[in-house]
Amino acid sequence: MAALGLTLAVPGLAQAQQAPANTLDAVRARGQLICGVNTGLAGFAQPDSQGVWRGFDVDYCRAISAAIFGDPNKVRYVPTTAQVRFTALQSGEVDVLARNTTWTLSRDTALGLDFAATNFYDGQGFMVKTALGVKSAKELEGATICVQPGTTTEQNLSDWARANRIRFTPVVIERLEELVAAFVAGRCDAYTTDVSGLAATRSAQPKPDDYLILPEVISKEPLAVGVRQGDARFADIVRWTHYLLLSAEEFGITQANLDRMANDPRPEVQRMLGKNGELGKMLGLDNLWAVNVLKAVGNYGEVFDRSLKPIGIQRGPNALWTTTGGLQYSPPFR
């Protein structure tokens, strides 16, 4: 897997570049997919001790690379903060944004972006130190609360506090690492972000039991992979890569049994794996693109279990639609 040092995407650099008109052709000509990811969030996108990027979002970058090149390692990872992530995508500094980003109407219409698919259903919550003795977010009257700027989190916090007549003092810090450090050091009573992010932060602490995620979830946060508006072919590739991961799980296709499942008689499996029809060519890809993706990362459940289950995140609404409460659902491959 290609790795990049922790050089953040910055507005000046992004503005100096021009987005390619055809992302797929540009990626192929470059020989590499450039993927915008988090600056470092356990379970989602974080370099390991050898500098190799790993995580749920990273596997989406690898899957898209495998779909295009037949190789999951032709990726360069660009860490982006919440403030600069959209500029990085708009300008062409990155080809795709796989970075814990909530799909909203304003972002979908006003920023020159399209959201390919919701790959993780989330919601905003609060975390406190256990020693504070707080058991509910409604006990945070007068609290200081750490929050990142330029996020839906910041607006949700204000809306929730106003609706519940709770006064608070925000501690606003852009860089995630600095924000978490401020919370751990006691500069704020609570930290608010998506519940998945809270779980990731809690799992990374030396003593996770010293921290409590409060029960309230105050928003809907459908996290989605972002692409530039006006490039339908590339958006289709990203979108159907996600749907492939879901369908593979639904049909019981895994990394381990992929070769055997190629002989599965079910028509949709035959089409998905390129045995019948030309679905790959319809996307502008090799007809074995799906096989390449599943060899690289496995199905959605495998991606989830590899990165998110170890930090205590349960499937919940991210279970398949065939499971009670599950929302993840793929259109048919036909």
Side-chain angles (χ1 to χ4, degrees):
M1 187 187 306
L4 180 72
L6 283 173
T7 302
L8 299 185
V10 295
L13 176 61
Q15 290 166 1
Q17 301 180 13
Q18 185 173 0
N22 186 311
T23 306
L24 180 59
D25 288 349
V27 169
R28 281 178 167 153
R30 188 192 305 125
Q32 188 180 56
L33 177 75
I34 304 177
C35 206
V37 293
N38 208 300
T39 56
L41 183 64
F44 285 90
Q46 193 172 47
D48 64 15
S49 57
Q50 282 75 47
V52 177
W53 283 87
R54 301 192 186 279
F56 181 83
D57 288 338
V58 170
D59 273 348
Y60 270 80
C61 301
R62 287 170 50 77
I64 297 164
S65 173
I68 295 171
F69 296 110
D71 182 345
N73 299 316
K74 292 189 174 183
V75 185
R76 178 158 64 92
Y77 299 95
V78 175
T80 60
T81 67
Q83 292 281 62
V84 306
R85 55 185 160 168
F86 300 124
T87 305
L89 181 58
Q90 291 161 347
S91 67
E93 185 182 351
V94 301
D95 301 311
V96 62
L97 189 65
R99 192 213 172 277
N100 310 82
T101 298
T102 301
W103 187 346
T104 70
L105 187 150
S106 58
R107 288 174 175 177
D108 202 0
T109 58
L111 295 182
L113 312 180
D114 276 329
F115 291 94
T118 298
N119 64 345
F120 190 89
Y121 290 97
D122 210 342
Q124 184 174 334
F126 298 88
M127 183 162 66
V128 297
K129 290 185 177 179
T130 307
L132 190 64
V134 169
K135 302 297 183 184
S136 167
K138 293 185 178 181
E139 298 173 33
L140 292 175
E141 170 65 28
T144 53
I145 301 178
C146 278
V147 61
Q148 277 188 295
T151 61
T152 56
T153 308
E154 190 177 24
Q155 180 180 346
N156 291 340
L157 174 60
S158 295
D159 291 348
W160 170 83
R162 188 179 305 111
N164 288 277
R165 298 182 180 179
I166 291 176
R167 293 171 298 171
F168 73 96
T169 300
V171 177
V172 181
I173 301 173
E174 180 180 353
R175 285 182 58 91
L176 178 62
E177 300 87 345
E178 295 174 4
L179 184 72
V180 170
F183 169 61
V184 170
R187 285 182 55 191
C188 43
D189 301 309
Y191 167 38
T192 185
T193 189
D194 296 344
V195 173
S196 63
L198 297 177
T201 297
R202 182 179 183 273
S203 72
Q205 302 311 307
K207 296 181 178 180
D209 289 345
D210 287 350
Y211 300 86
L212 175 67
I213 298 174
L214 300 178
E216 289 85 357
V217 177
I218 67 171
S219 70
K220 293 184 295 184
E221 304 297 328
L223 306 185
V225 181
V227 297
R228 279 182 294 278
Q229 220 166 50
D231 194 341
R233 180 165 67 160
F234 188 68
D236 281 343
I237 291 170
V238 175
R239 180 177 300 115
W240 282 95
T241 296
H242 169 64
Y243 290 147
L244 169 67
L245 301 182
L246 295 180
S247 288
E249 183 179 11
E250 182 176 344
F251 283 107
I253 305 170
T254 67
Q255 275 182 307
N257 70 13
L258 179 59
D259 290 339
R260 176 168 53 83
M261 292 298 287
N263 297 316
D264 189 290
R266 288 172 290 183
E268 190 161 357
V269 173
Q270 291 283 300
R271 290 191 294 267
M272 190 188 312
L273 299 183
K275 292 291 185 177
N276 288 321
E278 295 188 337
L279 297 186
K281 291 182 180 179
M282 294 178 187
L283 291 169
L285 302 174
D286 186 279
N287 223 36
L288 293 179
W289 71 282
V291 172
N292 295 330
V293 169
L294 297 175
K295 280 183 179 178
V297 302
N299 64 41
Y300 182 85
E302 291 177 286
V303 171
F304 192 103
D305 288 351
R306 183 163 52 242
S307 294
L308 302 183
K309 191 175 181 179
I311 63 172
I313 298 177
Q314 304 301 313
R315 286 292 291 267
N318 292 295
L320 294 181
W321 67 285
T322 51
T323 302
T324 301
L327 297 179
Q328 290 290 0
Y329 184 107
S330 170
F333 279 73
R334 62 171 182 260

